[in-house]
Amino acid sequence: MSGSLELAASYTVLGYFLLPFIANFRKQHPQVSVLPVEQDRARIESGEVELAVALTSNLLEPKRFRSVVLARSRRQLWVAASNPLAQRSQVSLADAASWPYILPAVDEGDVGAMRYWRDAGLQPTGFIRTSSMEAVREMVALDLGVTVLSDMVFRPWSLEGRRIKAVPISDPIPTMEVGLIWRKGRRLSPVAEAFRRYLQVAVGPVPKTDRACQGVARQVRSGARPVRRRSEVRAPRLCIDAWRRHPSGRGVPVLPGPGGARAVAGPVRFDL
């Protein structure tokens, strides 16, 4: 197969989810060029690019598109390791309201966050708005404020190495959903169709509910998720919160295997 594909993606999807899959696809199909194009939600919904990987939970007109869910990632409260809330097993938005709230103005994260507070009937002590994810991490790590973000973008420390903790939230905060989308009635090109099928297989099945997702997370953390003999096992990207942290701190997913857990960046084979 040969050809090229322009693939639209939002900021979060491009930076934290999609690129390893593109690299692996290009290794398998060296005659194919996949060019990621960063676009905001409005441009993605305009449909100017035939295929996109986006935050489907943000779409204003989802019925205009065919879609395939690739991952669901729960949202948690990010706090400094020194913050009193870091020692809690669970917190509420009411608990977090005593601190300034950091609004990340990327992928309409600020719009969603304001909705959480409005639905809860609460108001934090103040808002800090930024379009820099590194600034978000540094402000949280310095205990200048707190924020609610998904496990997909979580890292346990800031750029300067200061610790950050993620604490589960008791309030009904919706998960972040990542998916493939393309316009209804539009026939995908052969390259786009091949990439769509590849991505669905590479990611694997996605649980339909948050409860199922949490069940996968528990299985992976306990080592109970089954590994079939001499079979290809895929990292549980279906639930980002099921990932364990690799010692490098890069958020590499790992699976239990012979001799302990192994980091994986795609398909991995265990010979049991």
Side-chain angles (χ1 to χ4, degrees), residues 8-21 37-41 44 53-58 71 73-75 78 104-110 131-133 137 149-155 176-179 240 243:
S10 63
Y11 171 90
T12 302
V13 170
L14 191 62
Y16 294 93
F17 180 80
L18 185 60
L19 296 181
F21 293 106
V37 180
E38 184 178 324
Q39 294 185 348
D40 60 21
R41 190 266 315 152
I44 287 174
V53 183
L55 300 182
T56 50
S57 48
N58 284 4
S73 177
R74 69 175 174 177
R75 291 180 167 100
W78 294 14
V106 293
D107 276 344
E108 301 175 311
D110 50 344
S131 60
S132 166
M133 283 300 299
R137 291 192 178 90
L149 286 170
S150 77
D151 288 349
M152 179 184 290
V153 300
F154 178 76
R155 300 295 181 270
M176 187 179 77
E177 189 174 275
V178 177
I240 302 301
W243 293 17

Side-chain angles (χ1 to χ4, degrees), residues 20 34 39 50 55 59 72 90 98 119 123 134 137 149 168 177 183-184 204 208-209 215 225 237 241 244 257-258 261:
V34 179
Q39 294 185 348
E50 68 172 327
L55 300 182
L59 296 179
R72 291 188 177 96
Q90 191 177 64
S98 300
D119 292 348
Q123 183 84 1
E134 293 307 329
R137 291 192 178 90
L149 286 170
E177 189 174 275
R183 291 282 293 272
K184 284 184 177 178
K208 294 183 178 181
T209 66
R225 191 166 174 81
R237 292 187 178 88
D241 62 322
R244 293 184 184 174

Side-chain angles (χ1 to χ4, degrees), residues 48-173:
E48 60 186 59
V49 176
E50 68 172 327
L51 189 64
V53 183
L55 300 182
T56 50
S57 48
N58 284 4
L59 296 179
L60 294 184
E61 300 181 88
K63 292 184 179 180
R64 293 174 50 214
F65 299 92
R66 297 189 65 186
S67 63
V68 176
V69 176
L70 299 174
R72 291 188 177 96
S73 177
R74 69 175 174 177
R75 291 180 167 100
Q76 300 192 86
L77 182 73
W78 294 14
V79 299
S82 59
N83 189 297
L85 298 180
Q87 308 307 315
R88 303 269 292 273
S89 60
Q90 191 177 64
V91 296
S92 66
L93 287 178
D95 297 324
S98 300
W99 283 265
Y101 188 86
I102 303 166
L103 283 168
V106 293
D107 276 344
E108 301 175 311
D110 50 344
V111 177
M114 295 299 291
R115 191 181 305 121
Y116 312 152
W117 290 103
R118 184 175 63 250
D119 292 348
L122 296 168
Q123 183 84 1
T125 59
F127 290 101
I128 306 171
R129 189 183 300 267
T130 178
S131 60
S132 166
M133 283 300 299
E134 293 307 329
V136 170
R137 291 192 178 90
E138 197 64 29
M139 285 189 281
V140 169
L142 289 167
D143 207 18
L144 298 178
V146 299
T147 193
V148 174
L149 286 170
S150 77
D151 288 349
M152 179 184 290
V153 300
F154 178 76
R155 300 295 181 270
W157 47 67
S158 71
L159 190 63
E160 298 300 321
R162 298 181 177 92
R163 297 290 297 179
I164 299 170
K165 297 291 290 290
V167 187
I169 303 172
S170 58
D171 298 79
I173 304 294

Side-chain angles (χ1 to χ4, degrees), residues 153-261:
V153 300
F154 178 76
R155 300 295 181 270
W157 47 67
S158 71
L159 190 63
E160 298 300 321
R162 298 181 177 92
R163 297 290 297 179
I164 299 170
K165 297 291 290 290
V167 187
I169 303 172
S170 58
D171 298 79
I173 304 294
T175 58
M176 187 179 77
E177 189 174 275
V178 177
L180 272 165
I181 65 169
W182 63 100
R183 291 282 293 272
K184 284 184 177 178
R186 184 172 191 171
R187 186 182 181 88
L188 294 178
S189 66
V191 173
E193 179 63 21
F195 186 82
R196 180 189 70 80
R197 294 189 178 195
Y198 154 77
L199 200 53
Q200 284 186 253
V201 172
V203 171
V206 181
K208 294 183 178 181
T209 66
D210 293 343
R211 181 171 295 181
C213 197
Q214 292 165 7
V216 171
R218 287 192 296 271
Q219 288 178 341
V220 171
R221 284 194 293 267
S222 68
R225 191 166 174 81
V227 178
R228 289 174 295 179
R229 183 176 182 85
R230 294 186 179 276
S231 63
E232 194 171 62
V233 181
R234 303 190 184 278
R237 292 187 178 88
L238 60 165
C239 296
I240 302 301
D241 62 322
W243 293 17
R244 293 184 184 174
R245 295 286 162 191
H246 189 254
S248 68
R250 296 176 181 268
V252 180
V254 302
L255 286 175

